[in-house]
């Protein structure tokens, strides 16, 4: 079955630097991916999504890159701010099946 | 706010208690989900309802009993839980389940459950 993992459970970056959070998935039939942000005491919040027919999608200060060849997904946050401190996790969606979620990376922004 | 609300936000219960978690979505969605989130583990899907019909029971123990009276409300009834059931229980909704373009799930804030 599908499994989703992240390369690092924690990541610390200086305020103003760019952050890169990685995710690997196992099912090549996954056709839709989402990044979620979860702040302490809150539920996961949708950040950005990407479909398998794309390799890059940009939002406000965030970019998601998809490499289907190696089944790898990344979230880039530009000019990281203290409010970006949270747990980030990816979810992959094989068509017609339920989402599979990764374990999450805790991003800490240092002053 | 995502349009998905959950009550209570915190719950402490003994192993012999009966309690219920409530979820309500104001997004006009047709699918609703219960997830369990334990520390340092990925989200675990428990139940899925699509158009009020249960479409998924992910081998959840019978001490957890879901109820979906309509597409906007979802309950999780709890009975004789174990301490290892302590976790954050998240509700989510999506436009539909299993389709190509409508599956993005929006989550509520969760209920932090502690079983003593």
């Amino acid at each position: 079955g599908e499994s989703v993992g992240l390369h690092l459970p924690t990541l610390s970056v200086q305020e103003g630097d760019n952050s890169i959070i990685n995710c690997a998935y196992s099912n090549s039939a996954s056709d839709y991916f989402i990044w979620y942000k979860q702040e302490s005491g809150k539920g996961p919040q949708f950040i950005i999504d990407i479909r398998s027919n794309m390799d890059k999608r940009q939002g406000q200060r965030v970019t998601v890159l998809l490499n289907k060849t190696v089944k790898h997904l990344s979230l880039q946050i530009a000019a990281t701010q203290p409010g970006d401190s949270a747990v980030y996790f990816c979810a992959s969606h094989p068509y017609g099946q339920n989402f599979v979620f990764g374990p999450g990376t805790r991003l800490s922004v240092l002053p | 706010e995502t349009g998905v609300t959950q009550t209570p936000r915190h719950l402490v219960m003994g192993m012999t208690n009966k309690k219920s978690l409530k979820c309500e979505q104001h997004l006009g969605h047709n699918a609703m989900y219960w997830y369990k989130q334990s520390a340092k583990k990925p989200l675990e899907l428990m139940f899925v309802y699509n158009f009020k019909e249960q479409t998924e029971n992910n081998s959840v123990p019978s001490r957890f009993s879901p109820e979906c009276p309509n597409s906007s409300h979802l309950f999780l009834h709890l009975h004789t839980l174990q301490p290892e059931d302590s976790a954050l229980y998240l509700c989510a909704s999506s436009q539909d389940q299993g389709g190509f373009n409508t599956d993005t799930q929006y989550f509520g804030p969760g209920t932090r459950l502690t079983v003593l």
Side-chain angles (χ1 to χ4, degrees), chain A:
Chain A
E2 171 77 304
S3 66
V4 176
L6 293 174
H7 295 269
L8 289 175
T10 61
L11 176 66
S12 296
V13 298
Q14 291 292 140
E15 182 177 352
D17 287 352
N18 296 334
S19 303
I20 299 176
I21 301 171
N22 296 303
C23 183
Y25 62 97
S26 64
N27 190 336
S28 57
S30 293
D31 62 353
Y32 179 48
F33 305 86
I34 300 178
W35 279 101
Y36 286 94
K37 171 186 180 183
Q38 187 173 18
E39 297 175 271
S40 181
K42 297 184 178 180
Q45 175 189 358
F46 174 92
I47 302 174
I48 192 167
D49 60 359
I50 189 167
R51 302 206 175 271
S52 58
N53 61 350
M54 305 170 69
D55 52 22
K56 180 179 180 179
R57 191 157 189 232
Q58 289 184 288
Q60 188 176 12
R61 282 200 308 117
V62 294
T63 300
V64 55
L65 299 177
L66 175 62
N67 185 329
K68 294 180 287 294
T69 302
V70 295
K71 297 197 282 291
H72 182 271
L73 190 71
S74 69
L75 176 70
Q76 300 179 3
I77 304 173
T80 311
Q81 302 170 359
D84 295 327
S85 294
V87 175
Y88 293 81
F89 55 89
C90 65
S92 69
H93 181 263
Y95 183 79
Q97 300 180 38
N98 293 306
F99 277 98
V100 179
F101 294 85
T105 290
R106 180 171 297 280
L107 176 65
S108 299
V109 181
L110 307 173

Side-chain angles (χ1 to χ4, degrees), chain B residues 47-101:
Chain B
F47 302 103
V48 183
Y49 279 81
N50 199 29
F51 292 93
K52 300 190 299 177
E53 298 296 321
Q54 187 179 128
T55 58
E56 189 105 13
N57 177 339
N58 205 23
S59 301
V60 181
S62 59
R63 57 186 184 270
F64 295 91
S65 174
E67 178 190 1
C68 187
N70 54 62
S71 292
S72 299
H73 294 86
L74 185 65
F75 295 89
L76 187 63
H77 304 299
L78 315 172
H79 178 47
T80 59
L81 294 192
Q82 305 298 312
E84 59 265 28
D85 296 322
S86 298
L88 182 68
Y89 288 85
L90 290 162
C91 173
S93 72
S94 66
Q95 182 65 44
D96 205 335
Q97 183 205 7
F100 178 70
N101 202 36

